[in-house]
Amino acid sequence: MLTKTLTPLEAVNEIRNDDNGQVVLVLQGGGALGAYQGGVYQALHEAGIEPDWIIGTSIGAINASIITGNKPEDRLSRLKEFWRRVDRSEAWDGVFPAWSGIGDALTSWGTLANGIPGFFELNPRAFFGTHVPLGPDQAGYYSTDPLRKTLEELVDFTLINQKRPRLTVGAAHVRTSMMHYFDSQKMDLCASHIMASGALPPAFPAVRIDGELYWDGGILSNTPAECIFEDRPRRNSLIFAVHLWHPTGDEPGSVWQILHRQKDIQYSSRIANHIVRQREAHRLRHVISELLEFVPPEARHNPRVKKLAGYSCRTRMHVVRLLAPRLKNETHMKDIDFSPAGICARWEAGCADTKCALQEQGWLEDSDPLEGVILHEPRAGAEPAAEAKMTGAVTAPADLPRRAAE
């Protein structure tokens, strides 16, 4: 095991320097909860770490486009500018005690009633009734035309299409219910691709691209980590997976609590399933690699042996999971909590959690050489039960301070 005397950048570069490794940032969808992702990026940026590949869905796609669509020195300021534009300062800010949650609740209701400048605005015709014909391209309670203008002001798509860093955004194909990834490595991206990834129905209308309609990718896969595991050729990867919804929680005792827990379950990461499946597949690939060492040299030229050897792989994926905190008094409307206090609290938590992970440097720990996917938690006790059973494939520090936001 390497002693932890490396700077965060040096520790990350241990992966990059390992046979063309890469650093990947995966950003989940979650509306206002995406402020946490801003804090995550700030901590990486301040440590001199710029991802090689950013994958996002919904608000994660918006944040990802702002990062990749600007020069490194401008990325953080542009990201902060976006969140400054969408925060919802209201007349009652400071009127009610912060602990009561009343001010935040009123801000959320104000968002529903009025929209958010620079993001979305009411579509009045939609409120005449659910059967009013609006047309496939306008069918939604809100219009996201303001978002298109914001993206065009804050994002340079010519930079994105230079493919450094690579940008991938996920969207749901309306006709077939298939997940589709728009990838700057394979095509030129524009504002429409980002908007399609965040077109959550029935609030926002679908976005048409090349004659086909797309909705928010979060309705199919809210944490699009699978495209890393399926990418070819496979590369050693350090993956910062930023999650906004809690996979575990208490049993709800009221309808209000049910609404909250149901939304967490619906949009929480499926990375537990991905990790289990990919761990098994990667382990088999590593086993094949080990077995090939026992194959006589003359037999390795046999076409059948060569074909079977093609299933071998020695790449390793380190997944650092960062989970946004539960704030006091938050409800099922937390994803539209664009209050300055909510944005600030989540941003600061993301920054603190990431600094903690960079200090811990779990990817430098010794691990079973047959393990191909290893999950790292920045604090103890954060892993769901399904993943906790993965002996040897989950690491968490024995004792780290709990997040101040909780």
Side-chain angles (χ1 to χ4, degrees), residues 368-403:
D368 186 338
L370 292 181
E371 292 293 350
V373 181
I374 302 170
L375 178 66
H376 304 282
E377 298 287 0
R379 65 182 178 90
E383 61 274 16
E387 294 171 14
K389 297 177 182 178
M390 294 165 51
T391 305
V394 179
T395 67
D399 184 23
L400 279 176
R402 294 185 66 84
R403 289 186 279 220

mmCIF file of all heavy atoms in Angstrom, residues 368-403:
data_model
loop_
_atom_site.group_PDB
_atom_site.id
_atom_site.type_symbol
_atom_site.label_atom_id
_atom_site.label_comp_id
_atom_site.label_asym_id
_atom_site.label_seq_id
_atom_site.Cartn_x
_atom_site.Cartn_y
_atom_site.Cartn_z
ATOM 1 N N ASP A 368 -7.766 -7.007 -3.459
ATOM 2 C CA ASP A 368 -7.664 -8.314 -4.102
ATOM 3 C C ASP A 368 -7.354 -8.117 -5.587
ATOM 4 O O ASP A 368 -8.086 -7.420 -6.285
ATOM 5 C CB ASP A 368 -9.000 -9.058 -3.926
ATOM 6 C CG ASP A 368 -8.963 -10.489 -4.443
ATOM 7 O OD1 ASP A 368 -8.104 -10.794 -5.295
ATOM 8 O OD2 ASP A 368 -9.810 -11.294 -4.013
ATOM 9 N N PRO A 369 -6.282 -8.710 -6.095
ATOM 10 C CA PRO A 369 -5.932 -8.509 -7.516
ATOM 11 C C PRO A 369 -6.986 -9.015 -8.487
ATOM 12 O O PRO A 369 -6.977 -8.637 -9.662
ATOM 13 C CB PRO A 369 -4.619 -9.294 -7.661
ATOM 14 C CG PRO A 369 -4.593 -10.247 -6.523
ATOM 15 C CD PRO A 369 -5.304 -9.563 -5.396
ATOM 16 N N LEU A 370 -7.906 -9.869 -8.012
ATOM 17 C CA LEU A 370 -8.961 -10.361 -8.885
ATOM 18 C C LEU A 370 -10.162 -9.427 -8.933
ATOM 19 O O LEU A 370 -11.071 -9.619 -9.738
ATOM 20 C CB LEU A 370 -9.414 -11.759 -8.448
ATOM 21 C CG LEU A 370 -8.394 -12.882 -8.634
ATOM 22 C CD1 LEU A 370 -8.989 -14.207 -8.185
ATOM 23 C CD2 LEU A 370 -7.932 -12.980 -10.084
ATOM 24 N N GLU A 371 -10.199 -8.439 -8.049
ATOM 25 C CA GLU A 371 -11.317 -7.497 -8.045
ATOM 26 C C GLU A 371 -11.126 -6.466 -9.145
ATOM 27 O O GLU A 371 -10.094 -5.805 -9.227
ATOM 28 C CB GLU A 371 -11.444 -6.790 -6.692
ATOM 29 C CG GLU A 371 -11.873 -7.697 -5.551
ATOM 30 C CD GLU A 371 -13.292 -8.208 -5.706
ATOM 31 O OE1 GLU A 371 -14.005 -7.712 -6.602
ATOM 32 O OE2 GLU A 371 -13.679 -9.092 -4.936
ATOM 33 N N GLY A 372 -12.136 -6.301 -9.987
ATOM 34 C CA GLY A 372 -12.051 -5.333 -11.074
ATOM 35 C C GLY A 372 -12.807 -4.051 -10.795
ATOM 36 O O GLY A 372 -12.546 -3.021 -11.416
ATOM 37 N N VAL A 373 -13.773 -4.085 -9.858
ATOM 38 C CA VAL A 373 -14.554 -2.899 -9.508
ATOM 39 C C VAL A 373 -14.560 -2.773 -7.990
ATOM 40 O O VAL A 373 -14.990 -3.690 -7.280
ATOM 41 C CB VAL A 373 -16.012 -2.997 -10.028
ATOM 42 C CG1 VAL A 373 -16.781 -1.736 -9.672
ATOM 43 C CG2 VAL A 373 -16.027 -3.226 -11.527
ATOM 44 N N ILE A 374 -14.090 -1.647 -7.488
ATOM 45 C CA ILE A 374 -13.976 -1.443 -6.046
ATOM 46 C C ILE A 374 -14.675 -0.143 -5.687
ATOM 47 O O ILE A 374 -14.420 0.909 -6.283
ATOM 48 C CB ILE A 374 -12.507 -1.400 -5.608
ATOM 49 C CG1 ILE A 374 -11.803 -2.703 -6.018
ATOM 50 C CG2 ILE A 374 -12.391 -1.208 -4.102
ATOM 51 C CD1 ILE A 374 -10.309 -2.673 -5.841
ATOM 52 N N LEU A 375 -15.576 -0.215 -4.716
ATOM 53 C CA LEU A 375 -16.347 0.943 -4.274
ATOM 54 C C LEU A 375 -15.709 1.550 -3.032
ATOM 55 O O LEU A 375 -15.384 0.847 -2.078
ATOM 56 C CB LEU A 375 -17.789 0.519 -3.968
ATOM 57 C CG LEU A 375 -18.738 1.595 -3.451
ATOM 58 C CD1 LEU A 375 -18.975 2.655 -4.528
ATOM 59 C CD2 LEU A 375 -20.058 0.977 -3.017
ATOM 60 N N HIS A 376 -15.541 2.861 -3.046
ATOM 61 C CA HIS A 376 -14.953 3.576 -1.915
ATOM 62 C C HIS A 376 -15.971 4.563 -1.358
ATOM 63 O O HIS A 376 -16.580 5.338 -2.107
ATOM 64 C CB HIS A 376 -13.696 4.332 -2.342
ATOM 65 C CG HIS A 376 -12.657 3.464 -2.989
ATOM 66 N ND1 HIS A 376 -11.816 2.649 -2.274
ATOM 67 C CD2 HIS A 376 -12.343 3.269 -4.303
ATOM 68 C CE1 HIS A 376 -11.016 1.993 -3.103
ATOM 69 N NE2 HIS A 376 -11.317 2.359 -4.347
ATOM 70 N N GLU A 377 -16.148 4.546 -0.048
ATOM 71 C CA GLU A 377 -17.033 5.486 0.636
ATOM 72 C C GLU A 377 -16.187 6.516 1.375
ATOM 73 O O GLU A 377 -15.232 6.155 2.062
ATOM 74 C CB GLU A 377 -17.921 4.748 1.649
ATOM 75 C CG GLU A 377 -18.847 3.717 1.035
ATOM 76 C CD GLU A 377 -20.004 4.344 0.286
ATOM 77 O OE1 GLU A 377 -20.093 5.586 0.238
ATOM 78 O OE2 GLU A 377 -20.811 3.597 -0.263
ATOM 79 N N PRO A 378 -16.520 7.809 1.263
ATOM 80 C CA PRO A 378 -15.726 8.821 1.964
ATOM 81 C C PRO A 378 -15.967 8.853 3.464
ATOM 82 O O PRO A 378 -15.255 9.524 4.183
ATOM 83 C CB PRO A 378 -16.177 10.132 1.304
ATOM 84 C CG PRO A 378 -17.551 9.846 0.824
ATOM 85 C CD PRO A 378 -17.561 8.399 0.430
ATOM 86 N N ARG A 379 -16.998 8.163 3.931
ATOM 87 C CA ARG A 379 -17.229 8.099 5.374
ATOM 88 C C ARG A 379 -17.830 6.751 5.727
ATOM 89 O O ARG A 379 -18.453 6.087 4.890
ATOM 90 C CB ARG A 379 -18.138 9.231 5.852
ATOM 91 C CG ARG A 379 -19.552 9.193 5.315
ATOM 92 C CD ARG A 379 -20.337 10.403 5.831
ATOM 93 N NE ARG A 379 -21.675 10.420 5.304
ATOM 94 C CZ ARG A 379 -22.717 9.832 5.898
ATOM 95 N NH1 ARG A 379 -22.548 9.180 7.018
ATOM 96 N NH2 ARG A 379 -23.924 9.904 5.370
ATOM 97 N N ALA A 380 -17.632 6.339 6.946
ATOM 98 C CA ALA A 380 -18.081 5.024 7.381
ATOM 99 C C ALA A 380 -19.591 4.943 7.429
ATOM 100 O O ALA A 380 -20.281 5.920 7.708
ATOM 101 C CB ALA A 380 -17.509 4.715 8.767
ATOM 102 N N GLY A 381 -20.122 3.752 7.158
ATOM 103 C CA GLY A 381 -21.545 3.482 7.336
ATOM 104 C C GLY A 381 -22.440 3.982 6.242
ATOM 105 O O GLY A 381 -23.653 3.960 6.366
ATOM 106 N N ALA A 382 -21.876 4.425 5.104
ATOM 107 C CA ALA A 382 -22.700 5.015 4.054
ATOM 108 C C ALA A 382 -23.195 4.008 3.042
ATOM 109 O O ALA A 382 -24.081 4.303 2.267
ATOM 110 C CB ALA A 382 -21.922 6.124 3.333
ATOM 111 N N GLU A 383 -22.624 2.805 3.046
ATOM 112 C CA GLU A 383 -22.956 1.867 1.980
ATOM 113 C C GLU A 383 -24.263 1.131 2.266
ATOM 114 O O GLU A 383 -24.491 0.672 3.376
ATOM 115 C CB GLU A 383 -21.828 0.851 1.763
ATOM 116 C CG GLU A 383 -21.488 -0.024 2.956
ATOM 117 C CD GLU A 383 -20.488 0.623 3.887
ATOM 118 O OE1 GLU A 383 -20.293 1.844 3.779
ATOM 119 O OE2 GLU A 383 -19.929 -0.081 4.729
ATOM 120 N N PRO A 384 -25.157 1.016 1.273
ATOM 121 C CA PRO A 384 -26.381 0.243 1.432
ATOM 122 C C PRO A 384 -26.062 -1.217 1.704
ATOM 123 O O PRO A 384 -24.988 -1.702 1.364
ATOM 124 C CB PRO A 384 -27.092 0.406 0.086
ATOM 125 C CG PRO A 384 -26.534 1.661 -0.486
ATOM 126 C CD PRO A 384 -25.113 1.703 -0.014
ATOM 127 N N ALA A 385 -27.039 -1.914 2.298
ATOM 128 C CA ALA A 385 -26.817 -3.292 2.719
ATOM 129 C C ALA A 385 -26.354 -4.185 1.586
ATOM 130 O O ALA A 385 -25.481 -5.034 1.750
ATOM 131 C CB ALA A 385 -28.096 -3.844 3.341
ATOM 132 N N ALA A 386 -26.939 -4.026 0.392
ATOM 133 C CA ALA A 386 -26.585 -4.886 -0.734
ATOM 134 C C ALA A 386 -25.103 -4.789 -1.058
ATOM 135 O O ALA A 386 -24.460 -5.771 -1.401
ATOM 136 C CB ALA A 386 -27.413 -4.514 -1.968
ATOM 137 N N GLU A 387 -24.543 -3.595 -0.925
ATOM 138 C CA GLU A 387 -23.146 -3.409 -1.246
ATOM 139 C C GLU A 387 -22.252 -3.770 -0.073
ATOM 140 O O GLU A 387 -21.102 -4.162 -0.245
ATOM 141 C CB GLU A 387 -22.897 -1.964 -1.686
ATOM 142 C CG GLU A 387 -23.607 -1.652 -2.991
ATOM 143 C CD GLU A 387 -23.571 -0.184 -3.334
ATOM 144 O OE1 GLU A 387 -22.777 0.535 -2.714
ATOM 145 O OE2 GLU A 387 -24.323 0.235 -4.218
ATOM 146 N N ALA A 388 -22.779 -3.650 1.146
ATOM 147 C CA ALA A 388 -21.980 -3.974 2.317
ATOM 148 C C ALA A 388 -21.594 -5.446 2.330
ATOM 149 O O ALA A 388 -20.625 -5.842 2.958
ATOM 150 C CB ALA A 388 -22.747 -3.628 3.588
ATOM 151 N N LYS A 389 -22.353 -6.280 1.630
ATOM 152 C CA LYS A 389 -22.055 -7.709 1.563
ATOM 153 C C LYS A 389 -20.909 -8.015 0.610
ATOM 154 O O LYS A 389 -20.462 -9.149 0.532
ATOM 155 C CB LYS A 389 -23.304 -8.477 1.120
ATOM 156 C CG LYS A 389 -24.468 -8.367 2.098
ATOM 157 C CD LYS A 389 -25.705 -9.076 1.566
ATOM 158 C CE LYS A 389 -26.881 -8.920 2.516
ATOM 159 N NZ LYS A 389 -28.109 -9.555 1.985
ATOM 160 N N MET A 390 -20.456 -7.026 -0.117
ATOM 161 C CA MET A 390 -19.409 -7.239 -1.108
ATOM 162 C C MET A 390 -18.046 -7.207 -0.431
ATOM 163 O O MET A 390 -17.268 -6.274 -0.583
ATOM 164 C CB MET A 390 -19.496 -6.178 -2.202
ATOM 165 C CG MET A 390 -20.755 -6.258 -3.047
ATOM 166 S SD MET A 390 -21.012 -4.777 -4.011
ATOM 167 C CE MET A 390 -19.441 -4.582 -4.814
ATOM 168 N N THR A 391 -17.741 -8.208 0.355
ATOM 169 C CA THR A 391 -16.494 -8.263 1.091
ATOM 170 C C THR A 391 -15.313 -8.086 0.154
ATOM 171 O O THR A 391 -15.182 -8.766 -0.844
ATOM 172 C CB THR A 391 -16.364 -9.614 1.810
ATOM 173 O OG1 THR A 391 -17.524 -9.804 2.619
ATOM 174 C CG2 THR A 391 -15.114 -9.630 2.677
ATOM 175 N N GLY A 392 -14.451 -7.146 0.510
ATOM 176 C CA GLY A 392 -13.260 -6.923 -0.299
ATOM 177 C C GLY A 392 -13.471 -5.970 -1.446
ATOM 178 O O GLY A 392 -12.517 -5.543 -2.074
ATOM 179 N N ALA A 393 -14.709 -5.628 -1.740
ATOM 180 C CA ALA A 393 -14.966 -4.737 -2.879
ATOM 181 C C ALA A 393 -15.544 -3.407 -2.440
ATOM 182 O O ALA A 393 -15.858 -2.572 -3.259
ATOM 183 C CB ALA A 393 -15.921 -5.405 -3.865
ATOM 184 N N VAL A 394 -15.702 -3.199 -1.117
ATOM 185 C CA VAL A 394 -16.172 -1.929 -0.584
ATOM 186 C C VAL A 394 -15.202 -1.476 0.477
ATOM 187 O O VAL A 394 -14.856 -2.234 1.386
ATOM 188 C CB VAL A 394 -17.582 -2.052 0.040
ATOM 189 C CG1 VAL A 394 -18.025 -0.702 0.596
ATOM 190 C CG2 VAL A 394 -18.582 -2.547 -0.981
ATOM 191 N N THR A 395 -14.720 -0.249 0.373
ATOM 192 C CA THR A 395 -13.860 0.296 1.411
ATOM 193 C C THR A 395 -14.497 1.541 1.976
ATOM 194 O O THR A 395 -15.104 2.330 1.249
ATOM 195 C CB THR A 395 -12.459 0.648 0.870
ATOM 196 O OG1 THR A 395 -12.574 1.748 -0.049
ATOM 197 C CG2 THR A 395 -11.833 -0.532 0.169
ATOM 198 N N ALA A 396 -14.387 1.708 3.280
ATOM 199 C CA ALA A 396 -14.878 2.905 3.956
ATOM 200 C C ALA A 396 -13.965 3.166 5.131
ATOM 201 O O ALA A 396 -13.492 2.235 5.784
ATOM 202 C CB ALA A 396 -16.323 2.716 4.432
ATOM 203 N N PRO A 397 -13.661 4.420 5.424
ATOM 204 C CA PRO A 397 -12.788 4.732 6.544
ATOM 205 C C PRO A 397 -13.420 4.318 7.856
ATOM 206 O O PRO A 397 -14.639 4.358 8.009
ATOM 207 C CB PRO A 397 -12.613 6.249 6.445
ATOM 208 C CG PRO A 397 -13.808 6.718 5.685
ATOM 209 C CD PRO A 397 -14.139 5.613 4.733
ATOM 210 N N ALA A 398 -12.590 3.949 8.798
ATOM 211 C CA ALA A 398 -13.103 3.495 10.098
ATOM 212 C C ALA A 398 -13.680 4.636 10.902
ATOM 213 O O ALA A 398 -14.628 4.477 11.650
ATOM 214 C CB ALA A 398 -11.978 2.817 10.879
ATOM 215 N N ASP A 399 -13.100 5.828 10.753
ATOM 216 C CA ASP A 399 -13.572 6.936 11.573
ATOM 217 C C ASP A 399 -13.280 8.245 10.878
ATOM 218 O O ASP A 399 -12.147 8.695 10.808
ATOM 219 C CB ASP A 399 -12.870 6.911 12.933
ATOM 220 C CG ASP A 399 -13.397 7.990 13.873
ATOM 221 O OD1 ASP A 399 -14.543 8.441 13.648
ATOM 222 O OD2 ASP A 399 -12.689 8.366 14.807
ATOM 223 N N LEU A 400 -14.315 8.825 10.310
ATOM 224 C CA LEU A 400 -14.212 10.151 9.720
ATOM 225 C C LEU A 400 -15.312 11.022 10.283
ATOM 226 O O LEU A 400 -16.399 10.528 10.606
ATOM 227 C CB LEU A 400 -14.349 10.077 8.190
ATOM 228 C CG LEU A 400 -13.097 9.667 7.409
ATOM 229 C CD1 LEU A 400 -13.454 9.550 5.930
ATOM 230 C CD2 LEU A 400 -11.990 10.663 7.597
ATOM 231 N N PRO A 401 -15.075 12.321 10.428
ATOM 232 C CA PRO A 401 -16.109 13.204 10.959
ATOM 233 C C PRO A 401 -17.344 13.167 10.093
ATOM 234 O O PRO A 401 -17.270 13.089 8.880
ATOM 235 C CB PRO A 401 -15.435 14.597 10.899
ATOM 236 C CG PRO A 401 -13.976 14.319 10.827
ATOM 237 C CD PRO A 401 -13.826 13.022 10.109
ATOM 238 N N ARG A 402 -18.503 13.195 10.720
ATOM 239 C CA ARG A 402 -19.748 13.244 9.971
ATOM 240 C C ARG A 402 -19.892 14.612 9.340
ATOM 241 O O ARG A 402 -19.348 15.605 9.801
ATOM 242 C CB ARG A 402 -20.950 12.945 10.886
ATOM 243 C CG ARG A 402 -20.947 11.528 11.411
ATOM 244 C CD ARG A 402 -22.224 11.273 12.190
ATOM 245 N NE ARG A 402 -23.372 11.310 11.323
ATOM 246 C CZ ARG A 402 -23.784 10.275 10.600
ATOM 247 N NH1 ARG A 402 -23.110 9.152 10.606
ATOM 248 N NH2 ARG A 402 -24.854 10.373 9.841
ATOM 249 N N ARG A 403 -20.649 14.668 8.266
ATOM 250 C CA ARG A 403 -20.822 15.929 7.558
ATOM 251 C C ARG A 403 -21.525 16.950 8.435
ATOM 252 O O ARG A 403 -22.507 16.627 9.124
ATOM 253 C CB ARG A 403 -21.621 15.713 6.275
ATOM 254 C CG ARG A 403 -20.835 14.970 5.228
ATOM 255 C CD ARG A 403 -21.615 14.907 3.960
ATOM 256 N NE ARG A 403 -22.598 13.855 4.022
ATOM 257 C CZ ARG A 403 -22.886 13.050 3.026
ATOM 258 N NH1 ARG A 403 -22.244 13.180 1.903
ATOM 259 N NH2 ARG A 403 -23.800 12.134 3.127
#
